[in-house]
Amino acid sequence: MKPYYITTPLYYVNAEPHIGHAYTTVAADVLARFMRARGRETHLLTGTDEHGAKIAEAASAAGISPQAWADKISGSFRELWKHLDVRHDDYIRTTEERHKACVAAVFSALKDSGDIYKGRYSGFYCLSCESYWTDKEAPEIEGKRKCPNTECRRPLQLVEEESYFFRLSKYQERLTELYKKGMFLQPSNRANEIVRFVERGLEDISISRTKVKWGIPVPGDPEHTIYVWFDALINYVSALGFQPGGSPGRFNDLWPAEVHIVGKEIYRFHAVIWPAMLMALGVEPPARVFAHGWWTVSGKKMSKSLGNFIDPREVTREFGVDAFRYFLMREVPFGNDGDFSIEALRKRYNAELANDLGNLLSRVLEMVDKYIQGNLPKRPALEEDFKTSQIAKRSPEIAAAMERLAFSEALEIIWSCVRLLNEHVNATAPWKLFKTDPDKVKPILFDLVWSLRIIAGWIEPFMPRTAAAMQAQLGVRQFPMPLTPEEVLHGPNGDRIQKGPPLFPRKT
Ligand code: ME8
């Protein structure tokens, strides 16, 4: 089977990363870990978008060269991914030679084929969003034109210059056909916005600037640099060694991508311009583009330009990496907007992580220690009324949710199993039973341990450290981690049970 290729946006290096960036990247990592655990070869790409006026300005404000600035901030992103246990397979920077060469080759190929042509551009430009807006999109109000992006609203600059254009209008029909096939635009409740936008008619887009010096020069016309979006989108294939007119094996092995995960504000770039660029190159579009929602802080979109952003490291210092990853994936359905608050995180931490899961594990392991002296539990014969059997049956539902990127739904199913086990402990009360009928306690404990082994495997994509700690305590150290329910049920019996420190000490 073809490897599962997942991408995140390439983040701008104008400022340090915040939880919005962590959100997309953690989601991509959760999906990648899930696929790997199922034995699917997986390729996760992330990186940084380093050209454009906005970045040159940030560098100049810091008094260093754009490249030195980009090196510093790109390094921060890379370190953050390591800190958050994101296992990306590649990390691309748009200032790397492999990328610049590919962008120049794509530009030349499309110029030769007539899909890029030279003309004059006159219109409005938002420096902060690196976006052009038409007369219609940004009408004059009281003598001023403001960026139509409601979160930005900065004054626009009138730009008039010679420019290269990409013949986007030519691809309107083919884009509509692509959308009709059904899977490309995800989640489906966001699809309409794109379909309507394309149906209203597409204009060719300006893809070069003469005023922006910090960019990839147009081949053969170095007065122009390539528009930062045209440059950046190509990363998804430049990282695979794509060459117009014939690429080496890696590109052929990995492309088309299974999913580009992006925030909703850059959906159009990925769902309209990018597939049209690929069509122009004679390359298949990705299977899906998934646009998730925004995190707000006290109702406002968090962004580097608004300066209201939350540093992921501060959150993990207090709650740990796993709880942060869990909260991001659990709090709102992937696709919807959500409001980030430490209070909401603390609530879920105490209720779902410390109480539901952490307590369950320590209760069970304490009993295993006390009543059967930590001895290896044999796999129970899977009787229908065993929780292990009931829980293992939920596996296909979880897999289906994960494939739809419905992360919070998958976690809900997992937590319904955790709660079921807590109820089972309360209902069977092994501490009472032990006094009257100690032999009856054994199968109950075995059942609980095996059930918890399955749960540890399920939560690995979300909370890899917790899963490893649980599996070590549950005596499954010699298994390749993480365990799938099938491996739990059919693999070896496992080591001695060894209770460890609490997974999630309560936070006040
Ligand atoms: O747009 N909530 O880069 P960028 C949720 N370089 N997600 C958020 C978020 C928030 N408040 N803020 C940021 C760019 N994100 C371009 C992309 S791709 C070829 C070029 C996440 O640094 C979300 O994924 O502005 C969003 O789309 C992305 O960061 C924007 O990052």
Side-chain angles (χ1 to χ4, degrees):
M1 206 189 250
K2 197 186 135 305
Y4 199 96
Y5 178 30
I6 308 167
T7 68
T8 75
L10 288 205
Y11 305 110
Y12 285 131
V13 292
N14 57 328
E16 298 285 338
H18 59 63
I19 60 162
H21 306 113
Y23 185 46
T24 322
T25 314
V26 165
D29 183 61
V30 167
L31 182 62
R33 283 175 181 271
F34 170 77
M35 288 297 161
R36 280 190 214 112
R38 303 181 93 198
R40 180 97 183 249
E41 198 189 321
T42 302
H43 190 82
L44 171 56
L45 174 71
T46 187
T48 43
D49 188 353
E50 306 188 358
H51 291 125
K54 205 157 59 161
I55 286 142
E57 273 195 356
S60 127
I64 55 177
S65 72
Q67 187 64 61
W69 172 263
D71 289 349
K72 174 176 161 315
I73 306 286
S74 185
S76 295
F77 274 93
R78 202 194 273 266
E79 276 166 30
L80 180 63
W81 305 150
K82 197 167 164 215
H83 175 69
L84 295 178
D85 290 330
V86 169
R87 279 168 46 190
H88 48 81
D89 299 281
D90 197 358
Y91 186 94
I92 187 154
R93 303 180 51 189
T94 56
T95 52
E96 279 175 60
E97 221 31 70
R98 61 172 172 159
H99 176 74
K100 291 194 284 187
C102 180
V103 172
V106 165
F107 194 100
S108 302
L110 295 185
K111 192 157 164 268
D112 291 348
S113 68
D115 273 326
I116 288 179
Y117 62 93
K118 202 172 188 178
R120 276 199 77 75
Y121 175 79
S122 157
F124 305 96
Y125 191 72
C126 174
L127 190 67
S128 175
C129 298
E130 303 270 14
S131 291
Y132 295 107
W133 300 102
T134 61
D135 204 28
K136 257 191 287 173
E137 286 167 322
E140 196 174 291
I141 299 167
E142 292 170 5
K144 287 190 187 120
R145 289 183 199 263
K146 285 193 175 158
C147 178
N149 176 354
T150 50
E151 302 291 333
C152 174
R153 307 297 291 154
R154 288 181 175 73
L156 298 176
Q157 297 178 354
L158 177 65
V159 182
E160 257 173 355
E161 60 186 5
E162 213 180 30
S163 172
Y164 287 88
F165 285 83
F166 171 58
R167 224 177 272 285
L168 182 63
S169 58
K170 180 174 156 189
Y171 294 95
Q172 182 168 340
E173 260 171 51
R174 284 180 60 190
L175 286 169
T176 304
E177 273 166 38
L178 172 67
Y179 306 151
K180 277 197 191 132
K181 277 194 267 164
M183 277 301 285
F184 181 74
L185 297 172
Q186 297 290 325
S188 50
N189 60 0
R190 285 201 198 285
N192 254 348
E193 161 204 336
I194 298 290
V195 172
R196 265 187 271 118
F197 173 75
V198 171
E199 278 171 0
R200 278 201 298 271
L202 293 175
E203 287 175 19
D204 294 349
I205 53 163
S206 163
I207 55 158
S208 74
R209 298 287 308 269
T210 50
K211 295 190 176 72
V212 178
K213 297 293 165 217
W214 179 239
I216 301 175
V218 166
D221 199 351
E223 278 299 298
H224 293 256
T225 55
I226 297 174
Y227 175 44
V228 61
W229 269 101
F230 192 87
D231 158 356
L233 285 165
I234 293 171
N235 90 86
Y236 302 126
V237 295
S238 72
L240 310 180
F242 171 74
Q243 286 163 16
S247 300
R250 224 165 108 79
F251 172 78
N252 297 319
D253 292 345
L254 291 169
W255 193 260
E258 216 60 51
V259 58
H260 292 316
I261 306 180
V262 300
K264 64 179 181 181
E265 83 290 0
I266 57 174
Y267 201 19
R268 272 191 205 174
F269 288 100
H270 286 82
V272 182
I273 300 177
W274 175 231
M277 286 165 67
L278 289 167
M279 286 168 186
L281 288 163
V283 171
E284 228 184 297
R288 291 184 284 177
V289 175
F290 193 109
H292 65 65
W294 283 344
W295 283 103
T296 52
V297 175
S298 318
K300 273 208 170 324
K301 181 179 183 265
M302 202 182 20
S303 78
K304 286 178 275 202
S305 11
L306 287 178
N308 63 343
F309 65 80
I310 296 184
D311 177 359
R313 283 178 191 267
E314 251 168 58
V315 182
T316 62
R317 214 168 290 134
E318 183 171 358
F319 293 94
V321 166
D322 277 9
F324 176 58
R325 290 174 60 113
Y326 173 80
F327 181 76
L328 290 179
M329 295 297 103
R330 180 67 188 84
E331 180 71 358
V332 282
F334 201 58
N336 296 4
D337 296 333
D339 202 52
F340 192 94
S341 82
I342 293 293
E343 259 337 288
L345 169 52
R346 192 188 318 276
K347 231 166 132 182
R348 280 200 189 271
Y349 178 99
N350 283 330
E352 292 159 22
L353 298 179
N355 262 4
D356 292 346
L357 181 66
N359 267 357
L360 173 66
L361 183 79
S362 60
R363 279 168 105 184
V364 169
L365 295 191
E366 241 158 58
M367 292 191 289
V368 168
D369 195 35
K370 210 158 155 192
Y371 305 141
I372 53 174
Q373 291 72 50
N375 281 328
L376 179 93
K378 297 235 169 7
R379 183 180 322 116
L382 288 179
E383 292 162 32
E384 270 306 302
D385 64 340
F386 264 28
K387 299 299 163 212
T388 313
S389 322
Q390 289 170 23
I391 283 177
K393 282 196 193 122
R394 309 291 306 264
S395 207
E397 269 172 84
I398 295 174
M402 295 299 282
E403 274 160 18
R404 284 186 287 116
L405 279 67
F407 304 116
S408 61
E409 214 177 296
L411 284 169
E412 259 170 52
I413 301 170
I414 300 171
W415 253 254
S416 73
C417 295
V418 169
R419 280 191 292 269
L420 179 85
L421 294 177
N422 271 317
E423 283 158 19
H424 187 59
V425 172
N426 294 342
T428 52
W431 52 93
K432 281 193 202 148
L433 202 56
F434 185 74
K435 290 184 193 141
T436 53
D437 203 346
D439 267 356
K440 281 207 177 138
V441 167
K442 275 191 189 171
I444 296 173
L445 293 182
F446 292 175
D447 189 20
L448 287 167
V449 166
W450 282 96
S451 298
L452 276 166
R453 287 176 172 179
I454 292 179
I455 285 171
W458 281 342
I459 66 171
E460 193 276 347
F462 300 95
M463 298 191 283
R465 297 179 195 194
T466 305
M470 281 178 75
Q471 293 192 331
Q473 295 191 38
L474 290 162
V476 283
R477 267 163 299 196
Q478 87 281 31
F479 289 92
M481 282 194 258
L483 291 183
T484 61
E486 290 69 31
E487 283 164 337
V488 169
L489 294 177
H490 305 296
N493 271 318
D495 281 343
R496 245 182 91 81
I497 302 297
Q498 202 115 55
K499 191 173 171 325
L503 296 176
F504 299 100
R506 278 188 76 81
K507 304 275 175 202
T508 48

